[in-house]
Amino acid sequence: MKNVMGIINLSAEEDLLKGITLHRPDAAVPFAGRYRLIDFILSSMVNAGIKNISIFTKNKYRALVDHLQSGKDWDLDRKRDGLFMFHPGNLKEDTSIYKGFLQSLYNNLDYIYKSKQEYVVISDANLVCNFDFEQVLNFHLKNKADITIVYREKDKNKEIEEQFFNRGLMLDLGENNQIADMIEIEADFSISKKRRLFNKKFNKRSVGIYMMAKSLLLDLINASVARGYYDLVKDGFIKNLATLNICGYRHQGYLAKIDSIESYHQHSLDLLNQEVWQDLFFNPGLIYTKVKDGPPVKYMKNAKVNNSLVANACIIDGVVENSILFRRVKVHKGALIKNSIIMQKTEIEQNVVLENVILDKEVRITKGKRLKGEPNYPVVVGKKTVI
Amino acid sequence: MKNVMGIINLSAEEDLLKGITLHRPDAAVPFAGRYRLIDFILSSMVNAGIKNISIFTKNKYRALVDHLQSGKDWDLDRKRDGLFMFHPGNLKEDTSIYKGFLQSLYNNLDYIYKSKQEYVVISDANLVCNFDFEQVLNFHLKNKADITIVYREKDKNKEIEEQFFNRGLMLDLGENNQIADMIEIEADFSISKKRRLFNKKFNKRSVGIYMMAKSLLLDLINASVARGYYDLVKDGFIKNLATLNICGYRHQGYLAKIDSIESYHQHSLDLLNQEVWQDLFFNPGLIYTKVKDGPPVKYMKNAKVNNSLVANACIIDGVVENSILFRRVKVHKGALIKNSIIMQKTEIEQNVVLENVILDKEVRITKGKRLKGEPNYPVVVGKKTVI
Amino acid sequence: MKRGDDLRKKDCVAMILAGGQGSRLGVLTQKLAKPAVPFGGKYRIIDFTLSNCYNSGLDTVGVLTQYQPLALNTYIGIGGSWDMDRKNGGVALLPPYMRKEGGEWYKGTANAILQNMDFIDSYQPNYVLILSGDHIYKMDYSLMLDYHKEKKAEATIAVIEVPWAEASRFGILNTNENGKVLEFEEKPAKPKSNLASMGVYIFSWEVLKEYLQQDEQDPTSSNDFGKDINPKMLKQKQRMYAYPFEGYWKDVGTIQSLWEANMDLLDEYPQLDLYDTNWQIYSVNPNQPPQYLSATAKVCRSLVNEGCVIHGSVTRSVLFPGVYVGTGTTIKDAIIMPNVKIGSDVVIKKAIICEGVTIADGCQVSCQEAGCQQCYSEAGITVLGKSITGTDISCHQKVVRRSSKEFEGFKGIGFNTGEILT
Amino acid sequence: MKRGDDLRKKDCVAMILAGGQGSRLGVLTQKLAKPAVPFGGKYRIIDFTLSNCYNSGLDTVGVLTQYQPLALNTYIGIGGSWDMDRKNGGVALLPPYMRKEGGEWYKGTANAILQNMDFIDSYQPNYVLILSGDHIYKMDYSLMLDYHKEKKAEATIAVIEVPWAEASRFGILNTNENGKVLEFEEKPAKPKSNLASMGVYIFSWEVLKEYLQQDEQDPTSSNDFGKDINPKMLKQKQRMYAYPFEGYWKDVGTIQSLWEANMDLLDEYPQLDLYDTNWQIYSVNPNQPPQYLSATAKVCRSLVNEGCVIHGSVTRSVLFPGVYVGTGTTIKDAIIMPNVKIGSDVVIKKAIICEGVTIADGCQVSCQEAGCQQCYSEAGITVLGKSITGTDISCHQKVVRRSSKEFEGFKGIGFNTGEILT
């Protein structure tokens, strides 16, 4: 995949994870004990041999810059190509208003022009998956597609699946993998309208990964921006449906799109299935993240931990079930944690009981306190809160 | 100097170098063949053993981020402390308006609090010097100063010196190195008023380097921001002149403050004095910059280069006098370059004549063209121009 | 040009002796230098010495290698993990090398330093700190250097109080009330003091250089600090002081002491605290997902690292990254090194399982026969250096009998068979 | 876990032989391995091979060191300068080392590879590329590897056409029209072909392994690729091909060839273009200010690096970083290595001045007596390895007579006296 450049698009972010994204973009939300959301798609690109990767941010990008730094931990600190970050409005004056993804691309057109790769893959950042980009490229070439859009089909009936197929870019797939029609389902569509569209023909959802020739992307950017259009999908894809060969590639492995607190909570707990764990972290490649120094987990005398993921440097003397513990969490004797996600450097004191909660970084729950949410409505506690 | 943290303040920048700062902050302006302005003060801090350095930017910081990256080339890519960059308005929403340096500091108060050093040195970024911070610390401690302000005294009568003392923060030094009074001379003061102030008592100019205890800085920030004041000098220093022991430290070595195109041009040509060259680049430490791969300079058969500075990877077959050539400049046969500054990747074709010009990066002057400015009014040619 | 030129000058250079074979660690050091042996669920032994250097503010460190250095070289690189990839100074790996006059291997600890005099001289240091790469401890060398300067000593030797009963197993220093060394006794039958040398020395470089050169001329010398250099210096009345160190310190040169040092970490409040962020032990960080403990797991009084998947019961044990433990398996008092795959219904007791080993379902690793030479180390600790995948399991393979349960062959979920080590 | 586990597998591993003493370079390699000798005003010789690897897309390189490796180790580190500080692969420095059975120095090129079989095996490569660290050239090894695969060869040897008149100085390969090697001739009196071996080999690893092990059993073997392995493979009818290379290539094993290769760079359009950004030669970049040419300087047909200060005249010469040239001084046909300080009114002709040397005012470096053994190298090139600061200058010091001008002692502006190199 030396001939493909990667672009990660953070422009679509709309603070869907309120409460844990106050100080960070969605892409920098901690996930799975030691990662940030962006690690999954970024590592997938690296594992596919993509060596030129850029990230187009929208706002609040400091957390992301701190996380990625020079790209060294993803092996992207390179003399040629490597990792690039483009922030809005810092090129000329900082008075410019953010207009859309295509505007960001247009502002950095020289970078895209100069890049030596022939193909480009564009991806959203909020995808939890270990994605095989090589297969998409093979599909793209085999189908002689102008644009390939990766989609998922509904295959289970879980509540969370329902949500997933109730929004976003929905595809109507025609013959020969060609997309016959597509529509962006907005949040304010009525449920009955959504159902109708889905049942009719728009029953495949784009996951937010697109592949095309770099030259075509340049054409789309120039043509759209010249007319004052700034949306890649609506202005670049849908308006050109008639003239371009746009194909759909079906992704079949594990993939979760994190776009709400509920999906964050649910998909975090997905990882407690050992098959998902194995698939997500090892297949086809490893997921990289910013490495941190820290000793192993210490299980004390009274520890009882079941069906849980635990990151390094935790010290556990309590009971933990169906939960995810990030780095340096302390669980004292007598504490009980169930169906919860506990972020970095949080301390759970003696005899605390937690169920269906999400604690952000550096929270402290003092002796004997109890917090309980519901699976579809977890209690979220903000960074550095003391309860 | 393990006990001192460094802060580089870019907030005062006002695009004084129009023409070569369209895409960059003053701090990122190329200087002396292979450096950026910020390299001098940053290297001085590093050489003094300061290991925790932060840079507070105002706008257009991408060029600076690209230049500094992880800080590796300044030996600042460290597990503890190291290099930090703080950009305005990216902490919360990007709607916030830039109010002033103290606001930036206030927005990142947690970083300053957490830093383990007891003292802080704050410096502007547009200083060309090889500064000995250890002497300032010794002076500060010996004089039991609350704040030490570094100043220069007028010691020559060159035109450029005149300019230097006609603006900025001017000090009236009393006894025991204590500052009796100070005044900020604004650009719109009449020349006669400036002269009067200077001749009276305000005859020492602050170079923009301040040292104080971290705890005092925190007090000044909190007190000022709470009242809606955001200027370090006017609100933090001048208003507290009566209650604080503010001392002046006289800097005697080479120091140039680059705040206009003319001073940029003149001070660049200062370096053609071998004593200045030696002083600036070796004494007390080395000046670091982003390293770049490139072969040595190649002098061809017709090369004739005198009283000039030449950076690596240039190929020269023409005549160069009293000039500065950045990396990868090509000078063809028959070309004549005098009193000029030629930035990176510029090509000077056959029989071109240049005198008193500043060419930004990647300019191309085609065969036989002639450009001529005056020493106090150099011709400036913008990036990527073809003439 | 004062400072510009002086940039390379360093007050003190540290030299870590990391070339020893560590033959008493048997199979553990067959393809690995002793300082590279895994320790504490995450680290390699040399991490402690390197982290001590960094935490003490020493940024110029030579690591003397000789025996099986590849893993160590790859691991240390240019020292980035210990923040020692510095422009001036940093970590240098120093193997023996050929000169114009030919080359020779390091004959002893003192000879190793002698052969690298040029390296040390290039920093023009006032002092040289000599360290071993195979001790587990946290120590601020800068305090010892202050002590050395304060005493105006030519040599300072760090000492630790050991129980009187054990003193005869150590090199013992007898000092006066000011800490001045009066006498050395190597493993004295009747020790006069309980101050044991820790193998940590500071020398004034100019003085040491002379002794090294002198010692090289002496054909009877074993070119060793403890045996030759230090006694000679004492004899010739050089100012030599003992620096008293308090805290945890352990030489992990034997299977037993290595096992004990690992177990020490499992105390409720261990003397050596790995979780103290003020004196962190740095290491190369593996890239593994968080560990997964299944519904059937039972883990307590243990250290477990990332990438582990545990279905069985683990008690008072240390698990390195990437270990898999099947259902029904019981592990107790054991050290399980990286990427070991353990099947179901296995029993492991008081054992060290080497990196990458695979243990099939139903096996039992803990020899019942106390006299069995193959399985029992001195301390009754089984060291397993080879996978058990076949049915022909015998004591001869340093492995111990299967349980009565039918052998089924190990099939981990998606794990390949580990590499065979022995 | 297909790819997760396969991560370390590499199609081809490169091994650079960098252990040679290079005794024909005399004083230049007294304290320095040959591949670390400075070249071309900026580089060290090994930069060309390392850059070729990087530019060819090879990211796994072993560098075999033995003789005076410290400068080389420090220089290469983990390969960051060549963008080879990669997570998987990268550069590994491979000195000889001790095993359980003891250690031995590298006996020959083949033995050096044999001793590092474990290292190569850890990447499970299909092919191994064997390179020398002392040739100046730009070559895309990936094309040669394609050729090797296409020919289904077991061994491929890169060859270059040399002038027929010089062919008898090289190892010559006779091939059929398809490039298949039929015969080797080492320095043949009457060469049948003008295809000379460049010392660049690709082997199929499994086949090479066998031959290395076989060769080790042969007590008469010198354990060398050119003399032993390749002839044996040919004799036993292994498929061996010659890969024709076109372009600049030079073995810089002698003073004369080193000097010539430097001078070749000064042609108006040199065959080896250092300014071509598509095949850049990477090196560790010094941190020096731009060079300063004063009002009296006269520089042409020369390469001059950063940090130089020039007041005199420099023609057809190569100046490394940090060189100072005083007023009235004339330098011609010379190579001036880093940090050499040259006073006023000095004359230097056809010479190589070693790193850090200082030359006092008025000295003349260019022996007038053609028969003088001390000053003249074979090619009439003076190599100056020692500073001239006193008045007792004689031929014996490999330095040549002062001009008649009164000796004044060199006082550079703020420069300290360079270190004496012998």
Side-chain angles (χ1 to χ4, degrees), chain C residues 66 96 103-108 111 115, chain D residues 96-98 102-105:
Chain C
Q66 168 154 282
E104 59 174 356
W105 300 96
Y106 295 150
K107 290 180 289 184
N111 175 260
Q115 288 201 39
Chain D
Y97 60 91
M98 283 245 185
E104 60 175 354
W105 300 94

Side-chain angles (χ1 to χ4, degrees), chain D residues 33-97:
Chain D
K34 183 158 67 163
V37 167
F39 181 83
K42 167 152 194 192
Y43 311 93
R44 293 182 186 257
I45 294 171
I46 200 169
D47 286 336
F48 289 82
T49 311
L50 284 172
S51 300
N52 284 342
C53 286
Y54 171 59
N55 288 321
S56 302
L58 287 165
D59 63 2
T60 307
V61 178
V63 180
L64 298 143
T65 62
Q66 170 153 281
Y67 176 77
Q68 291 282 9
L70 181 59
L72 204 57
N73 289 353
T74 311
Y75 188 72
I76 295 178
I78 53 171
S81 294
W82 303 270
D83 213 18
M84 289 200 190
D85 47 342
R86 298 271 70 90
K87 283 191 174 297
N88 174 19
V91 173
L93 293 158
L94 302 169
Y97 60 91

Side-chain angles (χ1 to χ4, degrees), chain C residues 127-175:
Chain C
Y127 308 100
V128 170
L129 170 64
I130 309 288
L131 299 165
S132 296
D134 49 7
H135 295 161
I136 304 294
Y137 63 124
K138 289 181 172 188
M139 179 173 177
D140 190 339
Y141 303 130
S142 72
L143 300 179
M144 179 171 170
L145 184 59
D146 290 346
Y147 179 93
H148 180 84
K149 290 176 184 174
E150 191 188 297
K151 295 287 188 187
K152 296 190 171 56
E154 305 300 352
T156 298
I157 299 173
V159 293
I160 185 165
E161 280 191 48
V162 294
W164 279 96
E166 292 179 24
S168 59
R169 288 172 39 211
F170 291 90
I172 296 295
L173 274 71
N174 304 321
T175 65

Side-chain angles (χ1 to χ4, degrees), chain D residues 256-277:
Chain D
Q256 176 164 15
S257 62
L258 180 70
W259 181 83
E260 281 173 6
N262 274 283
M263 292 301 129
D264 286 346
L265 297 172
L266 304 179
D267 291 347
E268 192 154 357
Y269 302 103
Q271 228 192 324
L272 187 91
D273 182 4
L274 295 173
Y275 298 82
D276 174 11
T277 47

Side-chain angles (χ1 to χ4, degrees), chain C residues 199-251:
Chain C
V200 174
Y201 315 119
I202 291 177
F203 295 100
S204 298
W205 176 228
E206 288 306 321
V207 176
L208 179 61
K209 257 163 88 172
E210 266 174 51
Y211 278 87
L212 290 176
Q213 281 158 334
Q214 228 179 73
D215 181 65
E216 186 65 13
Q217 305 306 320
D218 179 357
T220 66
S221 171
S222 54
N223 306 113
D224 183 90
F225 278 101
K227 291 186 201 132
D228 307 293
I229 301 286
N230 296 349
K232 266 179 214 167
M233 286 182 83
L234 193 62
K235 210 164 141 196
Q236 294 179 22
K237 306 261 184 260
Q238 295 290 349
R239 292 173 62 86
M240 185 178 285
Y241 279 80
Y243 172 75
F245 170 78
E246 284 174 21
Y248 185 87
W249 175 83
K250 193 136 195 164
D251 179 335

Side-chain angles (χ1 to χ4, degrees), chain B residues 16-291:
Chain B
L16 294 161
L17 307 181
K18 283 247 162 41
I20 47 174
T21 53
L22 191 62
H23 296 277
R24 25 175 121 92
D26 288 5
V29 166
F31 192 79
R34 58 193 287 273
Y35 304 90
R36 306 277 185 152
L37 279 183
I38 200 171
D39 290 339
F40 295 90
I41 208 70
L42 188 58
S43 300
S44 296
M45 286 184 177
V46 168
N47 287 330
I50 298 177
K51 294 191 168 78
N52 180 12
I53 300 177
S54 53
I55 298 173
F56 287 79
T57 65
K58 190 172 171 188
N59 55 26
K60 297 183 296 183
Y61 42 81
R62 184 175 139 205
L64 207 60
V65 171
D66 286 352
H67 179 62
L68 298 171
Q69 291 183 342
S70 65
K72 190 182 170 75
D73 286 324
W74 295 262
D75 213 20
L76 286 171
D77 55 329
R78 291 173 174 274
K79 284 193 176 239
R80 297 182 201 148
D81 291 335
L83 184 69
F84 302 87
M85 292 187 80
F86 299 105
H87 309 305
N90 71 16
L91 198 70
K92 302 223 172 75
E93 291 305 315
D94 50 352
T95 50
S96 67
I97 291 155
Y98 184 79
K99 289 176 189 158
F101 180 47
L102 292 180
Q103 179 69 49
S104 291
L105 293 178
Y106 184 78
N107 286 347
N108 298 285
L109 218 50
D110 56 336
Y111 157 75
I112 303 173
Y113 265 117
K114 272 190 197 165
S115 294
K116 288 187 176 140
Q117 293 77 14
E118 206 178 330
Y119 295 94
V120 57
V121 62
I122 300 176
S123 176
D124 288 353
N126 61 348
L127 302 177
V128 175
C129 58
N130 199 329
F131 196 85
D132 193 337
F133 282 103
E134 276 188 67
Q135 292 196 19
V136 181
L137 180 62
N138 293 341
F139 172 93
H140 184 80
L141 297 175
K142 202 178 138 203
N143 283 273
K144 296 197 171 60
D146 291 317
I147 298 170
T148 295
I149 299 181
V150 178
Y151 70 86
R152 264 191 64 202
E153 219 158 341
K154 197 170 176 176
D155 52 4
K156 290 176 198 168
N157 267 318
K158 291 200 300 184
E159 203 175 333
I160 196 78
E161 283 280 312
E162 197 72 57
Q163 275 180 26
F164 184 83
F165 285 95
N166 265 338
R167 62 179 95 166
L169 178 67
M170 302 298 293
L171 312 178
D172 168 15
L173 202 72
E175 279 172 21
N176 298 322
N177 300 315
Q178 251 191 311
I179 293 172
D181 203 357
M182 45 185 160
I183 185 170
E184 185 97 49
I185 296 191
E186 309 283 352
D188 58 1
F189 282 18
S190 71
I191 289 181
S192 60
K193 185 175 177 189
K194 285 178 182 176
R195 288 253 162 84
R196 205 164 55 240
L197 286 167
F198 183 86
N199 290 331
K200 207 171 150 197
K201 50 178 188 174
F202 294 104
N203 53 5
K204 293 164 179 63
R205 183 177 171 191
S206 158
V207 305
I209 296 177
Y210 318 109
M211 179 166 281
M212 67 195 90
K214 195 185 85 173
S215 56
L216 175 60
L217 177 64
L218 288 168
D219 288 349
L220 292 180
I221 297 169
N222 284 320
S224 298
V225 172
R227 291 177 180 78
Y229 300 142
Y230 303 108
D231 190 282
L232 178 66
V233 169
K234 287 183 200 157
D235 304 320
F237 297 172
I238 298 182
K239 285 183 184 155
N240 292 304
L241 199 52
T243 54
L244 294 175
N245 176 19
I246 305 185
C247 292
Y249 168 87
R250 184 179 170 200
H251 175 71
Q252 288 180 292
Y254 182 81
L255 184 142
K257 201 169 173 85
I258 307 296
D259 52 8
S260 65
I261 283 285
E262 305 86 68
S263 67
Y264 175 84
H265 187 240
Q266 288 285 347
H267 290 303
S268 289
L269 300 185
D270 277 358
L271 304 175
L272 302 179
N273 174 331
Q274 203 201 319
E275 246 172 90
V276 171
W277 184 89
Q278 180 74 39
D279 229 47
L280 182 62
F281 291 116
F282 295 100
N283 199 352
L286 300 174
I287 305 300
Y288 306 100
T289 189
K290 184 177 175 182
V291 296

Side-chain angles (χ1 to χ4, degrees), chain B residues 2 47-48 72-80 116 132-135 278 282-286 288 291, chain C residues 1-5 7 54-55 57 78 80-83 85-88 277-280 282-283 285:
Chain B
K2 278 183 199 164
N47 287 330
K72 190 182 170 75
D73 286 324
W74 295 262
D75 213 20
L76 286 171
D77 55 329
R78 291 173 174 274
K79 284 193 176 239
R80 297 182 201 148
K116 288 187 176 140
D132 193 337
F133 282 103
E134 276 188 67
Q135 292 196 19
Q278 180 74 39
F282 295 100
N283 199 352
L286 300 174
Y288 306 100
V291 296
Chain C
M1 295 190 48
K2 70 185 155 85
R3 265 196 279 165
D5 263 14
L7 262 184
Y54 172 59
N55 288 323
I78 53 170
S81 294
W82 303 270
D83 213 19
D85 46 343
R86 298 272 68 90
K87 283 192 174 294
N88 174 19
T277 47
N278 290 318
W279 198 275
Q280 207 165 341
Y282 297 92
S283 68
N285 291 293

